[in-house]
Amino acid sequence: MGNKQRMIFIVDDDATNLALGRDTLGDYYDILTLNSGARLLRVLEKTIPDLILLDVEMPEMNGYEVMRHIKSKPETSNVPVIFLTAKRDGASELEGLSLGAIDYISKPFSPPLLHKRIEIHLLVESQKQELVDFNNNLQSMVEAQTKTVIELQNAVLSTMADLVERRDDITGGHIERTQAYLKVMLAALKDASIYKEEIDSWDVNLVLQSAQLHDVGKIAIKDSILQKTEKLTEEEFEQIKEHPTFGGKIIDKIKESTTQQSFLDYAKVLAESHHEKWDGSGYPKGLKGEDIPLLGRLMAVADVYDALISERQYKKALSHKEAVGIMLDGKGKHFDPVLIDLFLGISDQFDEIATQFD
């Protein structure tokens, strides 16, 4: 009979009013009657009801004072309160509503009317809670969907990167190492507040993920060139120099079939610009100085260092010290001078990374 799991507190210093309230609502709700505001506040420390019927005119602590206490505590601030009062002036009603009451019922009240108004208010509160629950569930769904998208991005990136390394098997581990070098440089740039405004605009995690695709254009290079064990001829090297352009086109093709493109935007910049040189002698576009995207300038440092310390069929691996010397010689020619100064301060970390992956 009724909705007995819903609890209502009735607070009034008049025993007759408490009895009438219990008789009116007792068949429909779990009712607790209290004869003072002080007793209500003590009970609220242990039990939170679904609704409070609160008399305004009570000795020691009136309903308005009780209401202020209720609204001041996070655990009770959202409990709906209906004021019961013999006052019939608009100012009193406005004061009660201003304190946060959801309704104002005059005494003596009509039992059927009281029951109906409580029923309506509890329905509204239930709908409000359903909306809160829906929003919370929606947030969880968004977070789950975001996680799925990120996992999909990682799968695309790692699969493409794996394809590149499987074809270019003489550079095994290159992608992982350059990704780690880039992470170290980005952290150092942030600590030193170098190129701060631009780097702050990046999603660094996506940048690092996208770095896996910097050599994706090698997929379009013939095996006979990509896996050649001798030094490349001038004509073959010209074909190798096309891989940044091929990389950009491959990434553009992937972008056509996805709406989640931010990680691919980073990948495209990295793929197309990591072989440009500070003095304009690089490829494929011959960009110069800061016309080269910062991502490309960063990737150039990581890419060249790794090439220098790696063994090839046509060359021996250089020591870390030798590689650092060549990098320093390329300051202002191959590399952004600011980034080389940064590199010199953290080159030991590059050596540790190379050793770890080796």
Side-chain angles (χ1 to χ4, degrees):
M1 188 174 182
N3 196 352
K4 295 290 278 188
Q5 73 263 31
R6 308 300 290 274
M7 176 174 281
I8 296 177
F9 289 177
I10 305 175
V11 187
D12 197 312
D13 63 312
D14 188 317
T16 301
N17 289 332
L18 292 178
L20 179 58
R22 180 183 291 280
D23 291 342
T24 301
L25 302 172
D27 287 341
Y28 303 94
Y29 306 103
D30 188 1
I31 302 297
L32 177 65
T33 57
L34 302 159
N35 62 6
S36 72
R39 288 192 64 192
L40 169 67
L41 295 179
R42 286 196 296 272
V43 172
L44 286 176
E45 292 177 0
K46 298 180 179 180
T47 306
I48 305 298
D50 294 287
L51 184 140
I52 298 172
L53 296 177
L54 179 60
D55 184 30
V56 173
E57 296 175 287
M58 294 185 293
E60 297 181 8
M61 184 184 296
N62 67 32
Y64 297 144
E65 293 175 284
V66 175
M67 186 66 167
R68 291 187 183 95
H69 282 284
I70 291 172
K71 292 299 179 183
S72 69
K73 295 185 177 182
E75 57 269 26
T76 57
S77 61
N78 291 323
V79 177
V81 176
I82 296 176
F83 275 126
L84 301 176
T85 181
K87 291 185 176 183
R88 296 180 181 275
D89 60 291
S92 297
E93 185 172 345
L94 180 60
E95 182 178 2
L97 295 173
S98 298
L99 289 172
I102 61 171
D103 204 350
Y104 211 94
I105 298 177
S106 297
K107 296 189 294 185
F109 51 78
S110 161
L113 181 60
L114 176 65
H115 178 240
K116 178 54 68 175
R117 288 172 79 166
I118 288 174
E119 182 181 349
I120 291 171
H121 283 302
L122 287 177
L123 176 61
V124 170
E125 292 301 317
S126 295
Q127 291 172 338
K128 284 167 60 178
Q129 187 58 50
E130 286 175 7
L131 183 59
V132 169
D133 293 342
F134 174 78
N135 286 335
N136 289 338
N137 290 336
L138 184 61
Q139 181 63 31
S140 298
M141 290 169 62
V142 169
E143 290 172 357
Q145 183 63 32
T146 300
K147 183 174 182 290
T148 300
V149 170
I150 292 172
E151 289 173 350
L152 178 59
Q153 291 173 356
N154 286 334
V156 170
L157 292 169
S158 60
T159 299
M160 295 292 288
D162 188 55
L163 285 172
V164 173
E165 286 219 324
R166 286 180 182 277
R167 291 201 61 230
D168 190 12
D169 57 6
I170 60 171
T171 59
H174 171 73
I175 290 173
E176 286 183 312
R177 290 192 300 272
T178 52
Q179 193 178 25
Y181 302 147
L182 191 60
K183 183 176 182 179
V184 167
M185 282 194 290
L186 286 169
L189 285 169
K190 183 176 181 180
D191 290 342
S193 293
I194 298 172
Y195 295 128
K196 182 178 187 305
E197 185 174 348
E198 183 168 359
I199 291 174
D200 283 348
S201 71
W202 296 347
D203 184 324
V204 171
N205 288 329
L206 285 185
V207 168
L208 293 172
Q209 292 168 17
S210 301
Q212 298 175 87
L213 292 189
H214 74 277
D215 271 337
V216 69
K218 287 184 176 180
I219 290 175
I221 304 299
K222 295 177 181 178
D223 286 346
S224 60
I225 296 176
L226 200 61
Q227 298 177 6
K228 187 175 179 180
T229 56
E230 298 85 24
K231 191 171 183 177
L232 297 176
T233 65
E234 186 174 336
E235 181 182 350
E236 289 169 338
F237 184 59
E238 287 300 315
Q239 292 184 49
I240 280 285
K241 286 164 65 174
E242 291 295 316
H243 82 267
T245 302
F246 290 144
K249 290 179 179 179
I250 290 168
I251 292 167
D252 279 339
K253 193 67 177 176
I254 299 172
K255 288 172 70 173
E256 290 177 6
S257 58
T258 178
T259 57
Q260 302 292 334
Q261 296 187 354
S262 55
F263 75 111
L264 293 171
D265 291 338
Y266 293 129
K268 180 177 168 68
V269 174
L270 287 162
E272 291 183 333
S273 62
H274 70 286
H275 280 296
E276 301 289 353
K277 296 183 180 180
W278 187 258
D279 63 5
S281 64
Y283 59 88
K285 297 179 181 179
L287 299 178
K288 186 175 183 179
E290 292 193 356
D291 287 341
I292 306 168
L294 179 56
L295 280 174
R297 284 151 34 211
L298 283 162
M299 198 70 226
V301 174
D303 194 52
V304 172
Y305 174 82
D306 196 66
L308 292 171
I309 58 129
S310 298
E311 185 177 353
R312 299 288 186 269
Q313 293 290 344
Y314 54 85
K315 79 170 190 70
K316 293 182 178 180
L318 299 182
S319 69
H320 170 71
K321 184 177 180 180
E322 290 170 325
V324 170
I326 292 173
M327 300 287 288
L328 180 58
D329 187 58
K331 177 181 177 179
K333 292 178 281 188
H334 192 143
F335 308 109
D336 180 342
V338 172
L339 296 184
I340 287 301
D341 288 341
L342 178 88
F343 165 77
L344 293 175
I346 58 173
S347 64
D348 287 350
Q349 294 182 56
F350 277 51
D351 189 26
E352 290 172 5
I353 290 167
T355 302
Q356 173 188 347
F357 281 99
D358 184 56

